[in-house]
Amino acid sequence: MAVVWLDDVRADDLDLVGGKGASLGELTGAGLPVPPGFVVTASTYRAFIEDAGIDDELFAAVEVDHEDSAALKEAHEAAHDLIMETPMPDDVREEILDAYRSVGEGDAFVAVRSSATAEDLPDASFAGQQETFLNVTEEDLLDRVKECWASLFSERAIYYRNRKGFPHDKVDIAVVVQQMVDAEKSGVMFTRHPSTGKKEIIIEAAWGLGEAVVSGTVSPDNYVVSRETGEVETATIADKKTMCVRDEETGETVMRDVPNDRRHERVLTDDEVSRLLELGELVEDHYETPQDVEWAVYEGEVYMLQSRPITTIAEGDGEEGESDSGGSSRATATGDDVLIRGLGASPGIASGRARIVTKLDHLDQVAEGDIIVTEMTMPDMVPAMKRAAGIVTDEGGMTSHAAIVSRELGVPAVVGTGDGTKTLEDGEIITIDGDKGTIREGEEPEEKQRQPVEEARPKTPVKPMTATEVKVNVSIPEAGERAAATGADGVGLLRIEHMVLTLGKTPERFIEQNGERAYVDEIVSGVREVAEEFYPRPVRVRTLDAPTDEFRQLEGGENEPREHNPMLGYRGIRRGLDNPSVFRLELQAFRRLFDMGYDNLEVMFPLVNDAEDVLRAKEHMREAGIDPEKREWGVMIETPAAALCIEELADAGIDFASFGTNDLTQYTLAVDRNNEHVADIYDELHPAVLKLIGDTIETCREVGVKTSICGQAGSKPKMVQFLVDKGVSSISANIDAVRDVQHEVKRVEQRLLLDSVR
Ligand code: PEP
Ligand code: MG
């Protein structure tokens, strides 16, 4: 049997029909209105490559150096051609075509979607890497099925599997063929409030096919419906400028302008809302858990296209429909026995054995699930930090290495405890709360331990549509994948310090021993990982900005200047301009990435003070072969001087200015950002800091320079409110905060809109 009907598929048929096929089958079986269709099974694909004898050749062709883009392209083309040129066996062709002819009237438009399976390797089939074709007819159906098979070997898919070490022969692919619903309207529905868990249905709806809503290219209407009364409690009607439709002539999916009279028209009728409510109840009952559903309306019928559990609702919330916190039921760990406190730097609750790690210790003492307790984390601790269940440090603030890296790794952390390494005992069981900043004795029951928030977010489809862009910060290239999964509009700050510090040597020493090309290669490889992950979303990469004390720990660090206060010292653009030997190599690395086609990169300079800094940096860009007129580039606003000189910086030609509030706060208030003794007066919302930011945004708006924030404060609701009010162009937040920031931005924007019409 080459195909199975969705009616005969159930959730546990994953190996046969892949994730997408299994979920659609389960919904069909539950009697929910799913457009009819069938699945060309994963074993059909496997038999195709094995019976034709192309399997070995196929897998050998894609064993290439994934960092070599030419080799990657060649591998993809070889695999693609092999699959496309190998004839499909007659019996398989017939079976697929027969099945197709039984769908609809026999000449239906169908959607052909890849549905990958990955035995024992749940992460190996990366969402979005395989093809989907809409509006397919009999004529090209078989080719489209083969295209789906071949998409298992897209450059991106080969790159990922090679990089992650996933064997190519362990991933198979099924293909779902399903009648197209030529949707007049479509959208998504949550059967509970996705963060508070309140018992209400939230529906987002727009005209045309659902792609526009899911991909975020249109602002949908938003309806909140009470599940008690069935009443629409609020209906926010959006200005829906575009819609995704099937072109009558070509059958292709295209974007069209919404006719003027329908732009502000309410999408859903009361009957449709009632039907969605009914289906929402049914699907939630079926799965016994709140659902996040994609739906479409065609000729008055509501169809369900996809359903996934909502996992954002924290335990205990929402049952009574009252909680509004979005937080979790964080029971106290083991009573009130707080051993020590610090700053909650990376959210989540974790229990484990405390492992006191002094700088000289071997990190292999840290076992899976231990909690690292150390003075301050170092770049070479990252492998151990990945194994750890949590991190505790004596030193550091919210913007220290430990805090930034823990957040990106998704490991709960408490920093700046003062004397954690002395107070806690090696081997004792502790529970850390990365939100409250507490460390308690004993173990929290498994079910009360909590993963970082975004782990629990729905991965797709909905992100709140906002006019202000919401981006994400990245410091460790391997966090790129997690960062991209947030649905952020790009990377507002990609730091390269971590890439450089993990070389274990100062850049000068590394270059001395390995040559300039090797340094450029290192930067290219790290930045590329993130640029690729986000492509074509923009990625703002910054030249090096590590203070000398961070370099001192590395080989070659003995040559670093001795400074009383490295934070005020030889770092950022001032170092780059004073001794450009390393700086220009970083720019060359960016140039190479542009040459490789990563036109989504933007260049940013740290710690500038005035126009002279900017003009000199711009000249270096030119020398490296980057045309400042053609590429987006800009500066960080991290010193009061830069904020006060913004007009001159704008005249120097910058496209954007990004507030680095971690530094701007310390330089405005004279409070060392990494000094736990003054952490309580380190306040990014201090009126002086806000005045500098507010005035800078105002000037930038007048002179047409985009503004952004990439300091830690961009993840704080109060700062978000302030910035959106002032008209900032984008906000870049931590991975774990992106979704909340998107919601906060949307809330403020809606309030501003309401205020303007009242
Ligand atoms: C900042 O200063 O706010 C910033 C984002 O840069 P860094 O934290 O790397 O100094
Ligand atoms: Mg800074």
Side-chain angles (χ1 to χ4, degrees):
M1 285 279 286
V3 307
V4 288
W5 287 95
L6 284 177
D7 296 302
D8 301 326
V9 169
R10 291 297 172 267
D12 51 9
D13 292 326
L14 213 74
D15 289 348
L16 188 69
V17 298
K20 200 171 288 156
S23 141
L24 288 169
E26 180 70 20
L27 289 173
T28 309
L32 289 155
V34 175
F38 59 91
V39 186
V40 181
T41 65
S43 30
T44 306
Y45 154 78
R46 182 50 71 150
F48 165 75
I49 56 167
E50 286 178 359
D51 296 350
I54 58 169
D55 48 341
D56 289 345
E57 196 181 339
L58 193 58
F59 300 136
V62 293
E63 277 310 331
V64 291
D65 173 6
H66 55 272
E67 295 299 345
D68 178 345
S69 32
L72 210 53
K73 185 158 179 274
E74 229 171 83
H76 155 68
E77 284 169 2
H80 179 267
D81 292 352
L82 203 54
I83 290 178
M84 295 311 289
E85 283 160 16
T86 302
M88 201 185 259
D90 286 345
D91 54 336
V92 175
R93 297 168 62 89
E94 280 317 306
E95 221 183 303
I96 296 176
L97 291 176
D98 273 356
Y100 167 79
R101 290 174 194 133
S102 318
V103 174
E105 309 276 297
D107 58 355
F109 283 97
V110 287
V112 178
R113 299 174 193 272
S114 307
S115 178
T117 76
E119 245 181 308
D120 306 330
L121 299 171
D123 289 345
S125 61
F126 298 96
Q129 281 180 16
Q130 281 86 40
E131 291 282 8
T132 283
F133 301 95
L134 302 180
N135 295 310
V136 177
T137 53
E138 176 166 344
E139 201 184 335
D140 44 8
L141 174 61
L142 297 174
D143 271 349
R144 294 307 192 210
V145 169
K146 277 166 85 185
E147 289 278 4
C148 285
W149 291 347
S151 71
L152 207 46
F153 302 96
S154 67
E155 282 178 55
R156 204 170 147 78
I158 302 172
Y159 177 83
Y160 275 98
R161 287 199 297 272
N162 279 358
R163 183 162 67 87
K164 301 248 164 194
F166 289 142
H168 293 287
D169 61 352
K170 285 283 188 293
V171 188
D172 281 341
I173 189 159
V175 182
V176 177
V177 178
Q178 199 183 14
Q179 183 167 16
M180 279 293 296
V181 174
D182 198 3
E184 292 134 20
K185 32 184 114 165
S186 51
V188 296
M189 157 169 72
F190 292 100
T191 63
R192 300 268 179 129
H193 189 291
S195 52
T196 65
K198 194 170 170 188
K199 232 179 153 192
E200 59 193 11
I201 298 244
I202 316 275
I203 305 171
E204 304 219 312
W207 302 116
L209 301 175
E211 275 68 18
V213 180
V214 174
S215 66
T217 44
V218 66
S219 302
D221 285 359
N222 181 290
Y223 307 82
V224 179
V225 187
S226 160
R227 283 179 59 172
E228 308 286 308
T229 62
E231 295 294 315
V232 177
E233 288 177 340
T234 54
T236 312
I237 311 306
D239 176 4
K240 300 163 285 291
K241 297 194 181 79
T242 51
M243 64 200 281
C244 194
V245 293
R246 178 164 63 82
D247 186 295
E248 292 286 334
E249 305 224 320
T250 62
E252 287 185 359
T253 310
V254 291
M255 290 303 289
R256 291 266 161 79
D257 287 344
V258 173
N260 272 344
D261 56 334
R262 304 197 81 191
R263 273 176 53 167
H264 298 277
E265 193 183 317
R266 175 176 153 151
V267 172
L268 290 177
T269 63
D270 285 342
D271 283 352
E272 286 161 347
V273 170
S274 304
R275 176 67 176 145
L276 277 164
L277 175 66
E278 190 186 341
L279 292 177
E281 301 267 356
L282 282 172
V283 73
E284 185 175 303
D285 282 354
H286 177 73
Y287 284 111
E288 294 178 350
T289 177
Q291 295 289 303
D292 160 2
V293 175
E294 279 177 50
W295 56 267
V297 173
Y298 176 55
E299 295 188 337
E301 287 297 315
V302 179
Y303 291 92
M304 293 183 65
L305 308 180
Q306 175 95 270
S307 184
R308 309 179 185 85
I310 307 178
T311 45
T312 43
I313 302 169
E315 224 176 286
D317 272 357
E319 283 309 315
E320 312 312 324
E322 273 159 15
S323 169
D324 189 29
S325 68
S328 75
S329 61
R330 293 187 291 254
T332 48
T334 48
D336 288 329
D337 39 4
V338 173
L339 298 170
I340 39 169
R341 288 176 198 276
L343 300 168
S346 175
I349 297 176
S351 301
R353 198 171 294 280
R355 207 37 88 200
I356 316 278
V357 178
T358 68
K359 284 175 188 165
L360 302 173
D361 266 346
H362 284 300
L363 285 157
D364 45 16
Q365 288 174 348
V366 178
E368 191 81 35
D370 281 352
I371 293 182
I372 297 181
V373 182
T374 185
E375 280 177 28
M376 186 55 195
T377 62
M378 303 283 159
D380 53 7
M381 285 188 184
V382 170
M385 289 169 80
K386 283 188 205 154
R387 290 197 294 278
I391 318 275
V392 176
T393 68
D394 289 354
E395 299 166 6
M398 294 294 284
T399 63
S400 58
H401 178 267
I404 291 171
V405 173
S406 309
R407 278 195 297 267
E408 292 198 7
L409 293 174
V411 180
V414 176
V415 301
T417 58
D419 56 359
T421 51
K422 300 196 182 67
T423 316
L424 300 172
E425 278 181 35
D426 193 56
E428 81 175 310
I429 302 289
I430 54 171
T431 293
I432 74 168
D433 183 328
D435 295 79
K436 296 203 186 91
T438 55
I439 293 143
R440 295 169 192 276
E441 199 178 347
E443 188 166 11
E444 187 81 355
E446 187 87 15
E447 66 279 7
K448 294 266 173 64
Q449 295 185 33
R450 203 166 51 82
Q451 291 298 309
V453 231
E454 96 294 347
E455 291 288 308
R457 300 279 188 223
K459 302 288 178 268
T460 52
V462 182
K463 65 168 191 162
M465 279 298 302
T466 56
T468 313
E469 289 175 315
V470 179
K471 301 185 181 176
V472 63
N473 293 339
V474 179
S475 293
I476 336 180
E478 55 213 292
E481 195 179 330
R482 243 180 109 227
T486 60
D489 295 314
V491 174
L493 167 63
L494 170 58
R495 293 182 172 96
I496 64 165
E497 288 73 51
H498 186 80
M499 299 172 208
V500 174
L501 293 169
T502 41
L503 299 174
K505 299 169 183 165
T506 59
E508 286 82 359
R509 176 63 56 86
F510 182 84
I511 294 162
E512 213 174 278
Q513 294 176 345
N514 303 282
E516 292 188 341
R517 171 77 191 195
Y519 184 71
V520 173
D521 284 348
E522 289 289 340
I523 309 280
V524 166
S525 147
V527 175
R528 179 186 173 172
E529 202 166 331
V530 181
E532 169 65 30
E533 206 54 79
F534 275 81
Y535 194 86
R537 290 177 274 174
V539 172
R540 223 164 246 186
V541 58
R542 186 178 73 178
T543 54
L544 192 60
D545 179 16
T548 49
D549 55 337
E550 289 191 18
F551 282 132
R552 192 182 312 288
Q553 344 254 356
L554 308 176
E555 197 187 313
E558 62 283 3
N559 298 330
E560 288 293 298
R562 299 224 159 246
E563 298 183 300
H564 282 300
N565 194 336
M567 276 299 182
L568 296 176
Y570 199 48
R571 56 173 286 212
I573 200 70
R574 53 186 75 164
R575 181 172 184 152
L577 295 175
D578 179 63
N579 177 7
S581 57
V582 176
F583 178 58
R584 64 185 178 78
L585 296 181
E586 288 154 17
L587 294 173
Q588 280 173 26
F590 302 161
R591 212 269 334 278
R592 250 183 53 206
L593 287 154
F594 283 129
D595 290 349
M596 288 161 82
Y598 291 101
D599 51 9
N600 55 332
L601 277 188
E602 301 176 358
V603 179
M604 180 154 71
F605 297 112
L607 220 68
V608 302
N609 264 341
D610 48 40
E612 194 192 330
D613 285 346
V614 178
L615 290 169
R616 289 176 65 195
K618 188 176 176 184
E619 198 41 46
H620 279 286
M621 244 194 319
R622 277 210 188 88
E623 278 168 23
I626 303 172
D627 184 347
E629 309 309 321
K630 294 217 177 93
R631 303 294 178 188
E632 283 278 308
W633 66 283
V635 297
M636 305 271 298
I637 303 293
E638 288 164 298
T639 66
L644 296 168
C645 291
I646 188 64
E647 270 186 71
E648 291 78 12
L649 303 189
D651 285 345
I654 56 171
D655 296 305
F656 60 82
S658 182
F659 298 104
T661 41
N662 304 341
D663 280 320
L664 186 60
T665 306
Q666 75 166 348
Y667 297 138
T668 306
L669 304 181
V671 175
D672 178 350
R673 62 191 258 190
N674 279 344
N675 182 341
E676 65 275 11
H677 301 294
V678 284
D680 56 336
I681 51 167
Y682 178 86
D683 176 14
E684 297 123 318
L685 295 164
H686 189 286
V689 179
L690 295 184
K691 172 140 180 50
L692 286 169
I693 295 178
D695 290 354
T696 306
I697 296 180
E698 199 177 310
T699 309
C700 284
R701 291 182 63 176
E702 281 162 19
V703 296
V705 166
K706 284 180 233 141
T707 48
S708 185
I709 182 171
C710 59
Q712 167 66 18
S715 300
K716 295 188 169 174
K718 285 219 165 73
M719 181 60 95
V720 171
Q721 287 157 19
F722 173 80
L723 292 169
V724 177
D725 256 337
K726 291 283 172 195
V728 79
S729 328
S730 66
I731 290 178
S732 192
N734 305 326
I735 296 176
D736 54 83
V738 168
R739 190 43 73 93
D740 289 341
V741 171
Q742 288 167 337
H743 282 290
E744 192 60 44
V745 169
K746 182 163 179 175
R747 211 179 343 257
V748 182
E749 287 180 353
Q750 284 183 337
R751 180 177 50 69
L752 288 173
L753 273 175
L754 280 177
D755 287 351
S756 72
V757 293
R758 271 179 184 147

